[in-house]
Amino acid sequence: GNSVTQMEGPVTLSEEAFLTINCTYTATGYPSLFWYVQYPGEGLQLLLKATKADDKGSNKGFEATYRKETTSFHLEKGSVQVSDSAVYFCALTANTGNQFYFGTGTSLTVIP
Amino acid sequence: DAGVIQSPRHEVTEMGQEVTLRCKPISGHNSLFWYRQTMMRGLELLIYFNNNVPIDDSGMPEDRFSAKMPNASFSTLKIQPSEPRDSAVYFCASNLGGGQGYTFGSGTRLTVV
């Protein structure tokens, strides 16, 4: 079946620290992989995506590389800001359908 | 495009009352999804539609929940009768299909007292 596992939170970092949020997946076929971000009181917003192995998605300083050999899509940012405080969701959609499978979300708090 | 539009943004109702949540997807998107988000259970898919047809409603928790999509530009999620444990944020999302990302609405925060 299809599923996503992401690291438990909450994560608290100081401003300018390096961020990694781990995400691994199980999927039938060749999924597309996504990271979504949810700021307080808002809906989820697409942060970045990758549609095939070895693709790197990037946006707003965040990056994630689709690693088929390790079935992973870890989110990274070199220097976090207070404004990055949010909940981050890893997700996949399998090429056999249109349904998304979301991880449980990882809460990030960045302190000045 | 104004994005996915949900109404109301907040709803407070008494137990036993009927609640109707509304969603207008992005024009041209042919898939629509209803999600529920709570602290305890996280993000749960309730139901999704392709081309206005319900495809998977296995996430609908009980018969008290129902969803319709009478046309490509409108969907409703109804709870009748509502219970306190239905309190959550309900999100609607739409996409073009084919593995494209979702666009989420801002959600409806439902409180049942």
Side-chain angles (χ1 to χ4, degrees), chain B residues 14-82:
Chain B
E14 292 185 347
M15 183 174 64
Q17 296 298 306
E18 177 180 296
V19 175
T20 299
L21 311 181
R22 297 172 176 80
C23 176
K24 182 180 188 306
I26 290 176
S27 177
H29 282 192
N30 56 12
S31 296
L32 183 141
F33 306 80
W34 282 101
Y35 281 85
R36 178 172 67 178
Q37 187 177 39
T38 62
M39 289 294 292
M40 292 296 294
R41 295 186 299 270
L43 198 61
E44 304 172 278
L45 176 65
L46 301 178
I47 185 171
Y48 80 93
F49 297 83
N50 275 354
N51 296 316
N52 313 338
V53 176
I55 301 301
D56 184 353
D57 65 354
S58 59
M60 297 285 263
E62 300 171 35
D63 291 345
R64 298 184 296 107
F65 286 69
S66 62
K68 294 182 179 179
M69 192 166 185
N71 57 61
S73 58
F74 185 66
S75 177
T76 59
L77 178 67
K78 186 177 294 186
I79 309 172
Q80 166 63 17
S82 58

